[in-house]
Amino acid sequence: MKRFIKEKGLAFFLIAAVLLWLKTYAAYVIEFNLGINNTVQQILLFVNPVSSSLFFLGIGLLFKKKIQQTAIIVIHFLMSFLLYANIVYYRFFSDFITLPTIMQAKTNGGQLGDSALSLINPLDIFYFIDTIILIAVAIFYNRPTETTTKRPFKIVMGASILVFLANLAVAEIDRPELLTRSFDRNYLVKYLGAYNFTIYDAVQNIKTNSQRALASSSDVTEVENYIKANHDKPNAKYFGKAKGKNVIYISLESLQTFAIDYKLNGKEVTPFLNSLAHDDHTFYFDNFFHQTGQGKTSDAEFMMDNSLYPLSQGSVFINKAQNTLQSAPAILKSQGYTSAAFHGNYKTFWNRNEMYKAIGYDKFFDATYYDMSEGKTKNYGLKDKPFFEESMPLLKSLKQPFYTKFITLSNHFPFEMDEGDTDFPAGETGDSVVDHYFQSANYMDQSLEQFFNDLKKAGLYDTTIIVMYGDHYGISENHNDAMAKVIGKEVTPYENAKLQRVPLFIHVPGVKGEKSDKYGGDVDVMPTLLHLMGVNTKDYLMSGSDLLSPEHREVIPFRNGDFVSPKFMKANGNYYDMGTGKLLEEKSVDPNVEESVKKELEMSDKIVDGDLLRFYKPKGFKAINPSDYDYTNHHPKTSESHTTSPKNSDSE
């Protein structure tokens, strides 16, 4: 064997393969929370980088003597870079990079800043030391003997395939139907590895893109039958009570439910929102869960406007802007509604300038309508207070009734505040992200109170439904130690799932509200709102369930296939009693619940991936033509010196 390695020039290759293997395993253990539950999974985690290391580095053996080592070093570096990119991404999103997220980065190019930089640690040089070692070996030691045949390449490729198939076979035993059942990228990385996941992701992405081309009108039938069979009848007590009212949606950036009624050193973090949670004319839902995927804020927007689930990979706003949609702005347009979106960032971010046309927004007030001078912007765009203040004249200029949404930005990771923006104290957990969160949330709360007061002065408050929702989590699992101090208990997978609750407020003028403990999610808001406005949703293809209906469905799917319900929940593949948090055996959980979750996601995916709404024509609905919309601001407010993008990204 030693002679074969020496003669065939495989020594350098094997050094590179072993270094990449061990580094990848170290990253798995140090950086990722993959939920290793047994010895088999631990062994698979250790072994799964082997096949990828052999396969990809083996490609370098095809190169001739003069550049063989250079080729191996380049491949090794590219794989190290992919691993490190996943590490940085995972530190905030607790997820892995997919091809659609790379496309999102391209679309949102130039706006990645503090959010990414704050996740980089000087010790991360560790993930590139082995590449440096390889370069040193190549410089100071003789190059390998030139191979005269492709036999070493064939042997290495064969070995990599055998290792992968053995890995997959054992993984299938521990997790049957791994590649077909799993919505969760954690599972795929745990069992198959980060590099093999990238290949799987590429295949899935090609498959998804082909689904639209292959879809036909006959595919709508199954979806239509399923959705109509599960339609919730509106609550007669509330149906039509807000007919003809204006609508304002406010996306509460990164606000989680734990902040509501929370006190820090005796001071309420969100006193204004707390007052609304106990207001007689506001419906407040404290068991409301965000259902976003990799599209974060844009996913939440998509669900609010369309009552369909986002993609399992990437953002609908980036990848499906060409789809035909039957959104709330489009439905209300036939009733004389004007629609507009307000956002203190530039219109190309998250591809909003294209997606809003597909949704049917008449106007889009982006950063060019606001004063983006230094001091008024923070990380991701305009600060919330000047954003709402400068939005009021634009809002008042709209023809009523209107359907509008406001996307706030200030309460965003890493949550640091500029001096003078708030005098609220920071937390004392020792984690700067969590500690600054309380200050940032308080600043947003102040801006909302200011906006409500301005609506009252403008005479709009009593004629407008105001819907406010937390768009997604703000504090990731990487800060669980600090969050344990905040909530006063260990953040187990069960507690972490409960932390995915975000507040939902629906203020309806003239209608008595209440605090509700019903379980709900993002897709449920649109049918709830339309029923309040007297629009029956039975003829539309929506995934959501009216939160005010007596028939409301309280099983809430997450994009990765997990779910919550009043009785039990699924988190990271395990089942828990929702009341006690006790771990349950799978056999004790009603299998129909899991099947219904899978079916809900599947039906929505058919609509979105196949663009099926182009084949579906509800009675009285006029389809949107995106070419009818133009969001060009011919009189931008910003001066020449202030027309550059905000410093950093709204990773949203």
Side-chain angles (χ1 to χ4, degrees):
M1 183 66 180
K2 291 182 180 179
R3 183 180 176 185
F4 174 77
I5 292 173
K6 183 177 180 181
E7 289 184 354
K8 300 304 180 181
L10 291 178
F12 185 81
F13 162 79
L14 287 177
I15 292 172
V18 170
L19 287 174
L20 183 63
W21 167 27
L22 296 179
K23 174 179 68 178
T24 303
Y25 176 70
Y28 289 167
V29 175
I30 296 169
E31 303 286 355
F32 304 139
N33 180 19
L34 298 175
I36 304 302
N37 296 319
N38 55 49
T39 303
V40 171
Q41 292 177 10
Q42 188 65 258
I43 292 172
L44 288 175
L45 193 71
F46 180 69
V47 171
N48 73 44
V50 173
S51 62
S52 300
S53 299
L54 293 175
F55 182 87
F56 289 106
L57 293 173
I59 296 173
L61 297 176
L62 289 174
F63 291 82
K64 292 186 177 181
K65 175 182 177 181
K66 292 184 179 180
I67 60 171
Q68 187 180 95
Q69 288 185 340
T70 301
I72 290 174
I73 290 172
V74 170
I75 294 170
H76 186 280
F77 173 77
L78 292 175
M79 295 184 72
S80 298
F81 184 81
L82 175 62
L83 176 66
Y84 183 63
N86 271 301
I87 288 169
V88 174
Y89 188 81
Y90 193 92
R91 284 174 182 169
F92 181 71
F93 293 107
S94 298
D95 202 352
F96 297 93
I97 293 174
T98 65
L99 290 182
T101 59
I102 294 173
M103 294 304 297
Q104 290 168 203
K106 286 178 63 179
T107 303
N108 298 335
Q111 297 196 27
L112 296 177
D114 284 353
S115 285
L117 291 175
S118 65
L119 298 171
I120 296 175
N121 189 309
L123 295 178
D124 290 347
I125 188 66
F126 163 78
Y127 295 110
F128 296 96
I129 286 178
D130 54 338
T131 304
I132 297 172
I133 292 173
L134 287 178
I135 294 173
V137 170
I139 293 173
F140 294 108
Y141 291 87
N142 292 330
R143 295 182 180 276
T145 305
E146 182 177 4
T147 58
T148 56
T149 69
K150 292 183 179 179
R151 186 174 175 227
F153 170 76
K154 293 178 180 178
I155 291 174
V156 169
M157 289 296 111
S160 72
I161 292 171
L162 285 175
V163 172
F164 173 76
L165 291 177
N167 188 150
L168 180 61
V170 176
E172 281 286 339
I173 294 173
D174 194 65
R175 172 71 176 181
E177 300 179 69
L178 173 66
L179 298 180
T180 55
R181 282 180 60 202
S182 181
F183 291 90
D184 193 339
R185 283 173 284 278
N186 266 338
Y187 274 83
L188 296 171
V189 173
K190 174 169 66 176
Y191 285 109
L192 302 181
Y195 309 113
N196 289 329
F197 163 72
T198 299
I199 297 174
Y200 171 84
D201 168 58
V203 172
Q204 289 297 105
N205 197 48
I206 293 170
K207 177 182 175 182
T208 297
N209 288 336
S210 68
Q211 288 174 326
R212 184 180 190 276
L214 298 174
S216 68
S217 57
S218 61
D219 296 322
V220 178
T221 304
E222 178 189 5
V223 175
E224 182 182 4
N225 290 341
Y226 173 82
I227 289 178
K228 290 190 173 181
N230 289 278
H231 175 72
D232 299 328
K233 293 180 180 179
N235 189 329
K237 179 180 177 181
Y238 299 114
F239 186 78
K241 292 296 183 181
K243 187 176 180 63
K245 300 288 187 184
N246 298 316
V247 176
I248 292 177
Y249 271 94
I250 304 176
S251 172
L252 306 177
E253 175 63 50
S254 301
L255 189 66
Q256 294 171 245
T257 299
F258 79 84
I260 303 300
D261 285 333
Y262 188 86
K263 291 183 179 181
L264 184 65
N265 298 328
K267 297 182 66 175
E268 293 178 285
V269 176
T270 57
F272 177 66
L273 289 176
N274 296 349
S275 68
L276 291 179
H278 306 286
D279 178 67
D280 287 340
H281 296 290
T282 301
F283 294 95
Y284 170 61
F285 298 87
D286 62 356
N287 279 322
F288 184 81
F289 292 80
H290 82 86
Q291 297 171 294
T292 62
Q294 292 182 328
K296 300 304 176 185
T297 297
S298 68
D299 280 353
E301 287 187 65
F302 179 72
M303 288 184 278
M304 293 292 159
D305 283 337
N306 297 279
S307 189
L308 295 170
Y309 290 98
L311 299 176
S312 59
Q313 301 177 89
S315 166
V316 181
F317 271 42
I318 302 295
N319 298 297
K320 301 295 181 180
Q322 80 282 4
N323 275 21
T324 296
L325 299 171
Q326 293 165 4
S327 61
I331 292 170
L332 293 173
K333 199 176 295 291
S334 64
Q335 298 188 18
Y337 274 75
T338 300
S339 55
F342 298 75
H343 186 41
N345 201 329
Y346 291 87
K347 62 186 177 183
T348 55
F349 197 66
W350 278 121
N351 201 33
R352 286 185 172 104
N353 58 319
E354 296 301 325
M355 192 62 179
Y356 283 177
K357 294 174 183 177
I359 293 173
Y361 278 101
D362 297 315
K363 297 179 182 294
F364 180 14
F365 300 109
D366 77 328
T368 62
Y369 288 85
Y370 298 94
D371 179 1
M372 303 295 288
S373 57
E374 187 176 355
K376 288 194 172 185
T377 59
K378 174 184 179 287
N379 296 331
Y380 321 102
L382 194 63
K383 294 179 182 179
D384 291 348
K385 286 185 179 180
F387 169 59
F388 282 123
E389 181 182 356
E390 294 182 34
S391 294
M392 280 305 301
L394 301 172
L395 180 64
K396 289 190 289 185
S397 72
L398 296 177
K399 179 184 175 183
Q400 299 186 49
F402 53 67
Y403 176 101
T404 60
K405 68 175 171 185
F406 293 76
I407 311 299
T408 64
L409 291 171
S410 294
N411 188 46
H412 197 290
F413 179 89
F415 307 110
E416 293 180 355
M417 299 297 298
D418 289 341
E419 187 176 352
D421 280 344
T422 179
D423 59 359
F424 196 81
E428 299 174 350
T429 68
D431 184 318
S432 63
V433 169
V434 175
D435 292 345
H436 288 312
Y437 182 86
F438 297 110
Q439 294 177 305
S440 188
N442 178 262
Y443 173 82
M444 178 172 64
D445 186 74
Q446 293 177 40
S447 72
L448 292 167
E449 183 174 19
Q450 164 199 304
F451 184 52
F452 270 60
N453 289 333
D454 288 343
L455 289 173
K456 292 175 181 177
K457 292 176 183 177
L460 293 172
Y461 182 76
D462 292 328
T463 59
T464 303
I465 306 169
I466 303 173
V467 181
M468 297 189 292
Y469 63 95
D471 58 351
H472 54 74
Y473 67 81
I475 301 175
S476 71
E477 294 179 54
N478 297 306
H479 305 279
N480 278 354
D481 288 343
M483 285 304 299
K485 298 177 182 177
V486 173
I487 66 175
K489 62 183 78 171
E490 180 186 359
V491 183
T492 62
Y494 163 76
E495 291 295 340
N496 183 70
K498 289 174 65 177
L499 282 172
Q500 302 313 303
R501 291 181 300 170
V502 294
L504 172 66
F505 303 85
I506 304 178
H507 172 79
V508 188
V511 177
K512 183 174 175 56
E514 62 182 7
K515 180 179 179 181
S516 174
D517 59 1
K518 281 186 178 180
Y519 282 61
D522 293 330
V523 295
D524 298 327
V525 178
M526 180 178 170
T528 306
L529 175 72
L530 290 180
H531 288 170
L532 281 165
M533 301 178 74
V535 179
N536 199 320
T537 61
K538 63 181 179 61
D539 292 327
Y540 292 95
L541 301 185
M542 300 179 185
S543 297
S545 170
D546 182 351
L547 289 162
L548 300 177
S549 170
E551 301 174 357
H552 172 64
R553 305 188 301 275
E554 293 192 81
V555 176
I556 313 304
F558 297 134
R559 189 57 268 190
N560 64 357
D562 287 347
F563 63 86
V564 295
S565 72
K567 291 184 178 180
F568 42 77
M569 63 181 290
K570 181 182 179 184
N572 295 339
N574 294 315
Y575 300 86
Y576 299 88
D577 182 280
M578 198 62 197
T580 65
K582 182 181 178 182
L583 189 66
L584 301 174
E585 294 185 13
E586 184 173 355
K587 62 183 180 181
S588 66
V589 178
D590 184 353
N592 292 326
V593 174
E594 181 119 29
E595 187 59 33
S596 71
V597 168
K598 183 178 179 181
K599 195 73 172 178
E600 282 282 319
L601 295 171
E602 178 188 344
M603 291 297 102
S604 179
D605 286 346
K606 284 180 179 291
I607 294 173
V608 177
D609 290 335
D611 191 13
L612 295 186
L613 293 182
R614 60 191 156 133
F615 305 120
Y616 185 73
K617 312 294 183 184
K619 184 179 179 181
F621 177 79
K622 184 178 180 181
I624 292 297
N625 181 3
S627 63
D628 290 341
Y629 302 90
D630 179 9
Y631 299 140
T632 304
N633 181 9
H634 297 288
H635 304 284
K637 182 175 181 179
T638 49
S639 65
E640 184 178 351
S641 62
H642 298 141
T643 54
T644 55
S645 296
K647 293 180 181 179
N648 311 296
S649 92
D650 179 358
S651 60
E652 296 189 324

